[in-house]
Amino acid sequence: MRKLIILNILFLGLGFAQNENAPLLDIQNQKYEFSLEKFYQNRSIIRTISPQVLESELQTEKYIIGPGDIFKVSIFGEVENEFEAPVLPEGNVLIPTVGVFHVSGKLLKNAKEIISQALKNNYLKAEIAVSLSGLRKFRVYFTGEVKAPGTYFAQGSDRLSDIIEVSVVEAKQPDEVTSSLSDWADDTNIKITHKDSTFEYYDLSRFYRHGDKSQNPNLKGGDIIFVPAIDLKKSYVIIEGNVGFQGIYALKKSETLFDFLTRVSALSKKSNLENIIIERSQN
């Protein structure tokens, strides 16, 4: 049985602030000539040390190395040298006069140990420092109930929300677009499929409205992000009126009116709860 509920919420007054925080992605690709970071701040990317936008330091026991990552190697001692060693397309890193080592797919911590140990075997009395100086760029695919489907470039520290925010500017009139998801998109059930065919589902609304980072994962190369449509065979709600989150939302099983309004952030201090109108339709 399908149930349709229409909520008309009246507010005493409203004020909404636009979030201008935006990710910084690959401006060398034409798609990112209009990335939000450039759009708002007119900043650019330098490929080497550190103008890359990170939310915190990389965790060496979690970050996975891939082609395009760049190591910085420093040798101190009787022979001093410093150079960059990129991870090549086949997943190897070439260390001059030392050898070739496969590091793709390995944790950053382990890859650094492989490179450091190889250098120590060749420079016996030298101090060795190995660090990650540049993050790789890779392709992800954005599909489903979205306004700008296609291929996007991300870096190893980017999350699901970064791609969704960048795709806003792919609309014809970005000044008038606040979401890259269609009106029928179900952001509580986003599917991410990886290259090995494994997949997970994420409720991105919990990140946007409650700050739950577990529902806003880091992306991997080749990920397919699929945003499904709201299942009309199940209960759904249409919110209308003077409310910031108008639209169509899936209704969760056994969810109360207050729980639903709280989940979608439809209420504020200025909400007039006495004027909520509920219209029900059953088929």
Side-chain angles (χ1 to χ4, degrees), residues 15-273:
F16 298 96
Q18 182 180 4
N19 181 5
E20 296 187 353
N21 292 330
L24 181 59
L25 300 181
D26 190 356
I27 62 170
Q28 293 179 345
N29 182 280
Q30 185 178 4
K31 183 163 289 189
Y32 288 97
E33 284 297 321
F34 300 99
S35 70
L36 288 185
E37 187 72 18
K38 183 176 180 182
F39 184 75
Y40 287 122
Q41 301 182 25
N42 195 28
R43 293 170 63 180
S44 62
I45 291 179
I46 299 176
R47 184 171 64 91
T48 55
I49 298 177
S50 262
Q52 305 183 67
V53 176
L54 304 176
E55 63 184 43
S56 63
E57 66 275 7
L58 286 181
Q59 296 179 300
T60 60
E61 67 278 7
K62 291 185 177 181
Y63 184 82
I64 298 175
I65 294 298
D69 282 325
I70 302 173
F71 287 97
K72 181 180 179 181
V73 177
S74 300
I75 303 172
F76 307 97
E78 295 181 1
V79 177
E80 294 195 354
N81 194 7
E82 186 174 87
F83 57 90
E84 286 188 340
V87 181
L88 301 174
E90 293 181 346
N92 300 322
V93 61
L94 171 62
I95 307 299
T97 73
V98 177
V100 177
F101 305 92
H102 189 79
V103 295
S104 181
K106 299 184 182 298
L107 295 174
L108 173 57
K109 175 182 178 181
N110 296 336
K112 290 174 62 175
E113 290 175 351
I114 291 172
I115 297 172
S116 296
Q117 188 58 52
L119 287 164
K120 289 177 181 178
N121 291 338
N122 283 264
Y123 298 89
L124 299 180
K125 296 183 179 180
E127 293 291 330
I128 307 296
V130 179
S131 58
L132 192 67
S133 63
L135 300 181
R136 68 187 182 277
K137 309 295 190 300
F138 51 78
R139 299 175 190 268
V140 296
Y141 305 95
F142 191 40
T143 64
E145 288 293 321
V146 300
K147 297 175 183 176
T151 303
Y152 288 81
F153 283 80
Q155 65 182 22
S157 60
D158 286 325
R159 294 180 179 268
L160 171 60
S161 62
D162 294 326
I163 295 301
I164 290 179
E165 291 172 13
V166 164
S167 65
V168 170
V169 298
E170 285 299 296
K172 297 295 183 181
Q173 296 175 307
D175 291 340
E176 300 176 6
V177 176
T178 58
S179 174
S180 62
L181 305 183
S182 76
D183 291 339
W184 286 98
D186 184 0
D187 64 353
T188 68
N189 198 35
I190 296 176
K191 181 181 181 181
I192 298 181
T193 303
H194 308 297
K195 288 193 302 183
D196 61 1
S197 298
T198 60
F199 57 87
E200 298 94 22
Y201 290 92
Y202 295 95
D203 182 353
L204 190 61
S205 68
R206 288 197 56 80
F207 167 71
Y208 280 129
R209 292 166 183 133
H210 304 289
D212 185 354
K213 280 189 177 181
S214 70
Q215 300 302 308
N216 187 28
N218 289 107
L219 298 174
K220 302 176 183 178
D223 279 352
I224 300 174
I225 303 166
F226 176 74
V227 182
I230 292 174
D231 188 352
L232 298 182
K233 296 180 181 179
K234 299 180 180 179
S235 298
Y236 61 95
V237 178
I238 299 175
I239 298 183
E240 299 176 341
N242 293 325
V243 58
F245 291 96
Q246 296 187 52
I248 305 166
Y249 299 88
L251 186 63
K252 295 185 176 181
K253 185 177 181 180
S254 302
E255 193 169 37
T256 66
L257 173 62
F258 182 78
D259 290 339
F260 168 76
L261 294 176
T262 301
R263 173 169 64 85
V264 302
S265 301
L267 300 177
S268 76
K269 294 179 180 179
K270 298 182 179 181
S271 301
N272 189 342
L273 300 182

